Amino acid sequence: MTGVAIVGAGMHRFGRTEGVSGRAQAVHAARAALADAGLTFQDMQFGFGGSHSAGDADTLVSELGLTGLPFINVANGCATGGSALISAQAAIASGAHDVGIVIGFDKHPRGAFDTDPADHGIGSWYGETGLMVTTQFFGMKIQRYLHEHDIDPAVLATIAEKAFRNGARNPMAWRRTALGAEEIAAAPMISHPLTQYMYCSPGEGAVALVLCRDDLARTYTDRPVFLRGAAFRSRRYGSFEVFSPWVALDRAASPTVEASRAVFEAAGVAPSDVDLAQVQDTESGAELMHMAETGLCSDGEQADLIRAGATEIDGRLPINTDGGCLANGEPIGASGLRQVHENVLQLRGDAGARQVPGAPQVGFTHVYGAPGISACTVLTR
């Protein structure tokens, strides 16, 4: 199998950009990634991309170039970007192609996501009882987790405080105002124990990455980042995930547990080797749970790590260094690629005011999407 490297990365800032379509944001990110790699769209042998609300990714060729390349649309909930990247990795690793592009973008309308239960194979009763409002699911799941592992709910505000502090250092972030833990905890309660500022919001943004065979990487850049592993998994029976219409008597691990184990095995590294991580933080409870589900720590250990500053930018295990979903918002098609983009910058030493010190060598990403899809990557210098 051929190794894979990332040689170009581009992004359109997240948030709200009035008068600019999601497709235009995607074209901006793609051109930035191509320029970063010193390539043109005519050099691309394939494309993968996805969007939930802003159109079909394959139509971007109208602006980028009518070159005839195969371009495949990917849709996998919040894991769309991660799934597109995994598809691109497979296209190169198999030997089918040498170089290609991945694009994730979205432009969601204001307000909460409006999803039809029928799209997920659930009866209308699920929406009529309010369960399609995912804030309730996240509230229920973190309540159970805090209780089972005897964790003080105050840690949720501390996690969100870190997110907004990191976002304030990130010129591409949506929320760039630091908020204190007390203000976050005192914000309106949405679904106990999660307050308004502990949730992310649907938004806009785009990310593009140029990938190639690892033996060609230094042809395009003197600072390639290597995609050592990528894996995704769906839920098993007994795993309690978004849009679950019931709770099984048997308990099974989240798909995140299996995806992270698979990617670490593929990359030949251990969770203890990770120098920085980007994990899904749809709300601050998700970051707490995903720290353990990905193997970065043990269940119940998170509070001590957070209190000790281990997850800060200058800590032992920096997490969500760009502010995560809380500060950036969540344009579904772009979220997973935003995480990879951040790790590329960090491993190159190009993250500016939020740069992790000590020349990090190993970066990990994890994205989670409804109704229970998890995608993980390991990147190295």
Side-chain angles (χ1 to χ4, degrees):
M1 297 289 283
T2 301
V4 178
I6 298 173
V7 293
M11 183 174 182
H12 185 284
R13 71 178 300 273
F14 279 33
R16 293 287 178 196
T17 308
E18 300 298 334
V20 181
S21 69
R23 293 180 74 262
Q25 293 179 43
V27 169
H28 173 93
R31 287 175 175 161
L34 290 164
D36 188 42
L39 293 167
T40 68
F41 193 69
Q42 285 69 26
D43 298 315
M44 298 298 100
Q45 297 173 6
F46 69 86
F48 286 92
S51 168
H52 183 271
S53 303
D56 293 335
D58 68 290
T59 65
L60 298 174
V61 300
S62 297
E63 285 79 20
L64 294 171
L66 298 173
T67 65
L69 88 171
F71 200 121
I72 297 176
N73 293 319
V74 178
N76 227 351
C78 299
T80 292
S83 299
L85 180 65
I86 287 169
S87 301
Q89 182 212 29
I92 294 174
S94 68
H97 297 290
D98 295 332
V99 59
I101 192 166
V102 175
I103 309 171
F105 62 104
D106 250 310
K107 188 181 181 76
H108 302 300
R110 296 180 183 274
F113 290 121
D114 183 13
T115 304
D116 186 343
D119 292 341
H120 295 273
I122 308 173
S124 60
W125 64 267
Y126 196 78
E128 292 163 359
T129 55
L131 291 173
M132 286 302 288
V133 181
T134 56
T135 53
Q136 298 188 50
F137 164 81
F138 291 119
M140 289 188 292
K141 191 165 187 176
I142 191 59
Q143 279 189 47
R144 182 171 72 173
Y145 190 85
L146 295 172
H147 172 75
E148 290 180 343
H149 300 287
D150 193 26
I151 299 174
D152 185 347
V155 73
L156 300 174
T158 305
I159 290 170
E161 180 181 37
K162 171 181 64 70
F164 293 118
R165 183 167 57 249
N166 291 353
R169 302 183 182 186
N170 179 8
M172 289 295 203
W174 184 6
R175 312 295 191 191
R176 301 201 60 213
T177 301
L179 297 175
E182 290 185 3
E183 182 179 0
I184 293 167
M189 183 65 66
I190 303 299
S191 290
H192 186 79
L194 299 167
T195 69
Q196 177 182 352
Y197 296 140
M198 296 177 189
Y199 285 98
C200 77
S201 299
E204 305 175 18
V207 178
L209 302 170
V210 175
L211 290 77
C212 73
R213 284 173 24 199
D214 61 354
D215 60 328
L216 298 176
R218 296 192 187 278
T219 305
Y220 308 121
T221 178
D222 58 358
R223 295 183 300 163
V225 172
F226 298 97
L227 182 58
R228 297 298 185 191
F232 68 92
R233 295 290 187 274
S234 61
R235 67 196 188 282
R236 290 186 183 272
Y237 174 78
S239 181
F240 183 47
E241 308 300 332
V242 185
F243 303 147
S244 295
W246 38 263
V247 178
L249 293 177
D250 300 320
R251 294 278 292 272
S254 163
T256 293
V257 174
E258 294 191 47
S260 58
R261 286 175 181 167
V263 81
F264 283 125
E265 181 178 353
V269 303
S272 57
D273 297 321
V274 171
D275 295 316
L276 75 154
Q278 318 299 327
V279 303
Q280 182 80 12
D281 60 331
T282 311
E283 32 72 39
S284 53
E287 178 172 325
L288 185 80
M289 291 182 285
H290 290 146
M291 286 173 63
E293 289 180 356
T294 56
L296 297 174
C297 70
S298 300
D299 287 309
E301 186 183 2
Q302 300 98 316
D304 289 341
L305 290 172
I306 292 166
R307 279 195 293 266
T311 60
E312 300 287 346
I313 286 174
D314 58 355
R316 176 178 65 79
L317 180 61
I319 292 179
N320 290 336
T321 50
D322 66 351
C325 289
L326 292 185
N328 286 278
E330 183 152 34
I332 283 180
S335 259
L337 296 183
R338 171 189 56 77
Q339 296 176 330
V340 176
H341 183 278
E342 173 67 6
N343 278 0
V344 168
L345 294 184
Q346 291 283 354
L347 295 175
R348 286 178 174 178
D350 288 343
R354 64 185 187 283
Q355 177 65 48
V356 170
Q361 302 291 312
V362 180
F364 171 80
T365 72
H366 155 265
V367 64
Y368 171 88
I373 292 286
S374 186
C376 298
T377 72
V378 171
L379 298 98
T380 65
R381 294 179 65 181

